[in-house]
């Protein structure tokens, strides 16, 4: 949907509940697959203005994500849930990235595979 709306020139904004469901699906499902393991140890914080925040831990056998009240990480991505959801999908987003930009770029290695 985001790609189709973007191609039509529409601004992509998702309802916070929808975006949070999508964030959970991406982090706890697709990203957690062993095929998406990122060997470099690092942490990414997602700080949502309108929903739960998340801590993503890289560097193990798989990506681990958990909801966290106090997000302290190597890099923090913040904004409304809709912007975080788009950022996780590697789509244009209004999310703000604070901290180590190289760590944030590691997320671009995550691939969604429908299998």
């Amino acid at each position: 949907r985001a790609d189709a709306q973007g191609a039509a020139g529409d601004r992509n904004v998702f309802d916070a509940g929808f975006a949070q469901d999508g964030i959970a699906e991406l982090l706890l499902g697709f990203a957690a697959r062993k095929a998406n393991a990122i060997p470099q140890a690092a942490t990414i914080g997602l700080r949502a203005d309108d929903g739960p925040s998340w801590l993503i831990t890289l560097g193990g056998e798989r990506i681990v994500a958990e909801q966290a009240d106090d997000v302290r990480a190597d890099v923090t991505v913040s904004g409304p849930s809709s912007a975080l959801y788009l950022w996780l999908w590697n789509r244009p987003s209004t999310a703000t990235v604070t901290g180590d930009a190289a760590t944030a770029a590691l997320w671009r290695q995550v691939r969604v595979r429908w299998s």
Side-chain angles (χ1 to χ4, degrees), residues 20-93:
Q20 279 292 329
D21 284 347
I23 289 168
E25 179 181 35
L26 272 167
L27 295 178
L28 302 176
F30 296 113
R33 293 179 177 173
K34 285 185 179 185
N36 278 318
I38 296 172
Q40 182 176 334
T43 54
I44 300 171
L46 297 179
R47 185 169 289 132
D49 298 341
D50 55 0
S53 294
W54 294 82
L55 179 64
I56 304 165
T57 304
L58 312 176
E61 183 177 289
R62 62 182 69 231
I63 294 171
V64 176
E66 60 188 333
Q67 286 188 10
D69 293 330
D70 186 18
V71 177
R72 295 175 195 240
D74 299 315
V75 64
T76 302
V77 183
S78 56
S81 297
S82 180
L84 300 180
Y85 184 49
L86 289 167
W87 185 86
L88 288 170
W89 274 102
N90 299 315
R91 298 299 189 264
S93 168

Side-chain angles (χ1 to χ4, degrees), residues 2-16:
D3 292 337
Q5 283 181 287
D10 291 339
R11 192 175 135 210
N12 292 302
V13 177
F14 299 103
D15 172 72

